[in-house]
Amino acid sequence: MATQSPGSFESDVLARSVGHTSIRIPQTQPSGAADRIDQIGTVVAFPKNSQLYGEGDTSTYLYKIVSGFGRSFRTTTEGGRQIVCFYVPGDLFGFEVGDSHTLSAEVMTDSKVRMIRRNSLVSAAAQDEDVAHQLWLCVNREIRRTQEHILQFGRPARTRVASLLLEMARRIPAVEVEVLSISRQDIADYLGLRIETVSRAVSRFVKLGAITLSGNRKITIRNPSVLAQLIS
Amino acid sequence: MATQSPGSFESDVLARSVGHTSIRIPQTQPSGAADRIDQIGTVVAFPKNSQLYGEGDTSTYLYKIVSGFGRSFRTTTEGGRQIVCFYVPGDLFGFEVGDSHTLSAEVMTDSKVRMIRRNSLVSAAAQDEDVAHQLWLCVNREIRRTQEHILQFGRPARTRVASLLLEMARRIPAVEVEVLSISRQDIADYLGLRIETVSRAVSRFVKLGAITLSGNRKITIRNPSVLAQLIS
DNA sequence: CGTGCAGTTGAGCAAATTCAACGCTTGTGG
DNA sequence: CCACAAGCGTTGAATTTGCTCAACTGCACG
């Protein structure tokens, strides 16, 4: 709705950019204000691209991003990869029905991740109403993220790319803005496209003046409304 | 794994058909054995194609299918529809982060649905460990269903259709087998395809001897392994 | 100053969509 | 019980979209 003059603002890849996107950031919770959930478990530092868990691993922990970014995915027998979700600070994930993981997860950058034993969290929730409330919110957010992802498919390629750019801009907290650099391959695997297709979409957005690039992975959204209307 | 001679078994659309698919049915819980969750709320009968809630509606209840089938979806401005999830007896859904629904939901056939106030359920979970456990299981299943759905996209059309047939066959309880008839449009909207494409895939499966049709919407899986190897 | 990886761009190809016509079912009224 | 209409599904042909293959560019790192 409220657009803003292009070029008034700079931010990093998938950074929140202008106008309404930036003001929505608080939704992703300032990540630690007074959440009791953040008293449980241990924060562990993971180096870029390291694995949190793999498909088939025993599911012992839930994971909450403190700083950095994560992705969950499944690899296919033919070497393909479908990314199911990107995670940003404040996101809790790793939920499983059974006792083993059905997806893999990695951090995308050097990250700090709070690891919380499933058992601990469930019993903490039984004791502490605040923890229960936070946990409930987190699982509902996970459901929502995944549902929104599904809504992207079945749209044309450039629409999906535009959506992803806007969504990440909205979700990434201001503090983290400078950090994330996401590869074309990650974008492609998230959207179910080939990297060439993603590249062509990005090029088109540049020509339209919707975004600018500085370095391959630094995307600055100059004119969100152009992207938004591609989605329509 | 264990396949069975084709034609040994009959079942309705998306019915569980033979061998390993039928034995897996208990996973979807016999839906009512002794779940405390089934003591809460009220069972309401909904006629075929009626709405449970619409996008933007205030989110007051959670919904648990007692008998029949449901679907959740979002409609696009251009009249398109993306189905996010199909629901079968035992499935609990309608979770929301905020206080309004971000999707719509309908029943697909005459159905009985247990409606449970979100508040009631959350407070019941705080009191009763068994309810909390069931609820936890249900939200985790919802996450899983949605994640699995995402993994379908990015595969070729006929693979997606094959997956859906097998998945529904697996999920639908034996009792309900005769009831569900799903339109090509529903399949297409779930998979992000056009009805013509779905139709062509189905025709191909018939030629391959993997399934037979009796009436447009009665699909009998004759040879699950043929479908399974399309997925590979 | 190369070497290698990531990204871009182009040309041809394959897959799915679009458009259009036809056929089968089902339900309704004669 | 048959005739007919409406809706759903099927099938074919042309078109569009995205993918494959391949060459090339730019940047990072040794």
Side-chain angles (χ1 to χ4, degrees):
Chain A
M1 318 301 163
T3 57
Q4 194 172 323
S5 62
S8 59
F9 221 97
E10 286 217 4
S11 53
D12 205 5
V13 137
L14 304 181
R16 102 250 97 102
S17 51
V18 290
H20 74 284
T21 53
S22 59
I23 62 173
R24 287 222 218 136
I25 283 172
Q27 180 202 4
T28 308
Q29 276 197 222
S31 142
D35 290 7
R36 294 260 176 76
I37 219 176
D38 292 329
Q39 313 298 99
I40 314 171
T42 324
V43 174
V44 180
F46 288 88
K48 184 173 178 172
N49 290 325
S50 56
Q51 179 175 276
L52 295 172
Y53 52 84
E55 201 184 326
D57 287 0
T58 300
S59 166
T60 312
Y61 299 96
L62 295 174
Y63 300 80
K64 188 173 182 186
I65 303 274
V66 175
S67 68
F69 303 94
R71 62 181 164 235
S72 64
F73 60 92
R74 184 175 296 171
T75 50
T76 68
T77 44
E78 312 88 38
R81 181 182 65 155
Q82 175 66 57
I83 293 178
V84 172
C85 200
F86 290 124
Y87 296 109
V88 308
D91 291 342
L92 181 69
F93 61 97
F95 306 106
E96 294 293 345
V97 175
D99 56 6
S100 66
H101 286 290
T102 56
L103 300 174
S104 303
E106 299 170 347
V107 296
M108 301 166 70
T109 60
D110 292 342
S111 302
K112 288 183 179 141
V113 181
R114 179 172 296 277
M115 296 175 63
I116 310 170
R117 287 189 175 272
R118 288 169 76 185
N119 297 337
S120 311
L121 191 53
V122 169
S123 57
Q127 311 282 314
D128 184 333
E129 197 178 326
D130 187 49
V131 169
H133 180 69
Q134 291 299 325
L135 180 56
W136 180 245
L137 212 52
C138 284
V139 292
N140 282 321
R141 285 207 196 97
E142 176 77 344
I143 290 172
R144 171 80 93 88
R145 282 191 289 268
T146 317
Q147 288 177 341
E148 291 292 327
H149 189 180
I150 287 175
L151 298 172
Q152 300 309 322
F153 296 97
R155 295 173 175 275
R158 84 192 74 99
T159 307
R160 299 188 212 177
V161 177
S163 289
L164 177 60
L165 295 178
L166 289 174
E167 187 210 337
M168 292 304 275
R170 181 177 56 73
R171 284 176 61 198
I172 293 180
V175 200
E176 295 282 339
V177 153
E178 295 301 322
V179 180
L180 175 60
S181 86
I182 194 174
S183 69
R184 296 289 183 275
Q185 191 64 62
D186 275 343
I187 298 175
D189 289 348
Y190 181 81
L191 298 175
L193 299 170
R194 309 266 97 192
I195 56 174
E196 295 95 330
T197 306
V198 173
S199 180
R200 284 184 243 268
V202 169
S203 300
R204 184 187 296 244
F205 296 160
V206 171
K207 284 199 190 91
L208 289 173
I211 62 176
T212 54
L213 302 182
S214 33
N216 274 334
R217 299 186 183 185
K218 300 204 180 201
I219 299 174
T220 307
I221 300 178
R222 298 291 182 175
N223 198 342
S225 60
V226 172
L227 296 180
Q229 83 190 35
L230 279 169
I231 299 166
S232 78
Chain B
M1 318 294 166
T3 56
Q4 193 173 321
S5 63
S8 59
F9 221 95
E10 285 217 5
S11 53
D12 205 4
V13 138
L14 305 181
R16 103 246 97 97
S17 52
V18 292
H20 74 285
T21 54
S22 59
I23 63 174
R24 287 220 219 139
I25 284 172
Q27 180 201 3
T28 307
Q29 278 199 221
S31 141
D35 289 8
R36 293 260 176 77
I37 220 176
D38 292 329
Q39 313 298 100
I40 313 171
T42 323
V43 174
V44 180
F46 288 87
K48 184 172 178 174
N49 289 326
S50 57
Q51 180 175 275
L52 296 171
Y53 53 83
E55 201 183 327
D57 287 0
T58 300
S59 166
T60 311
Y61 299 97
L62 295 174
Y63 300 81
K64 189 172 182 186
I65 303 274
V66 175
S67 68
F69 303 94
R71 62 182 163 235
S72 64
F73 59 92
R74 184 176 294 172
T75 48
T76 68
T77 44
E78 311 88 38
R81 181 181 65 156
Q82 175 66 56
I83 293 179
V84 172
C85 201
F86 290 124
Y87 297 109
V88 309
D91 292 342
L92 180 70
F93 60 98
F95 306 106
E96 294 293 345
V97 176
D99 56 6
S100 66
H101 286 290
T102 56
L103 301 174
S104 303
E106 299 170 347
V107 296
M108 302 168 70
T109 60
D110 291 343
S111 302
K112 288 182 180 143
V113 180
R114 181 173 294 278
M115 295 175 64
I116 310 169
R117 288 188 174 273
R118 287 169 76 186
N119 298 338
S120 311
L121 192 52
V122 170
S123 57
Q127 312 281 314
D128 184 333
E129 198 178 328
D130 187 49
V131 170
H133 179 70
Q134 291 299 326
L135 180 55
W136 180 244
L137 212 52
C138 284
V139 293
N140 282 321
R141 284 205 197 100
E142 176 77 342
I143 291 172
R144 170 81 91 88
R145 281 192 289 268
T146 317
Q147 288 176 343
E148 292 291 328
H149 190 179
I150 287 176
L151 298 172
Q152 301 308 323
F153 297 97
R155 296 172 176 276
R158 84 191 74 97
T159 307
R160 298 188 215 177
V161 177
S163 288
L164 177 59
L165 295 179
L166 290 175
E167 187 210 337
M168 292 305 275
R170 181 176 56 74
R171 284 176 61 198
I172 293 180
V175 201
E176 295 282 339
V177 154
E178 295 301 321
V179 180
L180 175 59
S181 86
I182 193 174
S183 70
R184 296 290 183 274
Q185 192 65 62
D186 275 344
I187 298 175
D189 289 348
Y190 181 82
L191 298 175
L193 300 170
R194 311 263 89 197
I195 55 172
E196 295 95 330
T197 307
V198 173
S199 181
R200 285 183 242 269
V202 168
S203 299
R204 184 186 297 245
F205 296 160
V206 171
K207 285 199 190 91
L208 290 173
I211 63 176
T212 54
L213 302 182
S214 32
N216 274 332
R217 297 185 184 186
K218 300 203 179 202
I219 300 174
T220 307
I221 301 179
R222 298 291 181 173
N223 199 342
S225 59
V226 172
L227 296 181
Q229 84 190 34
L230 279 170
I231 298 165
S232 75

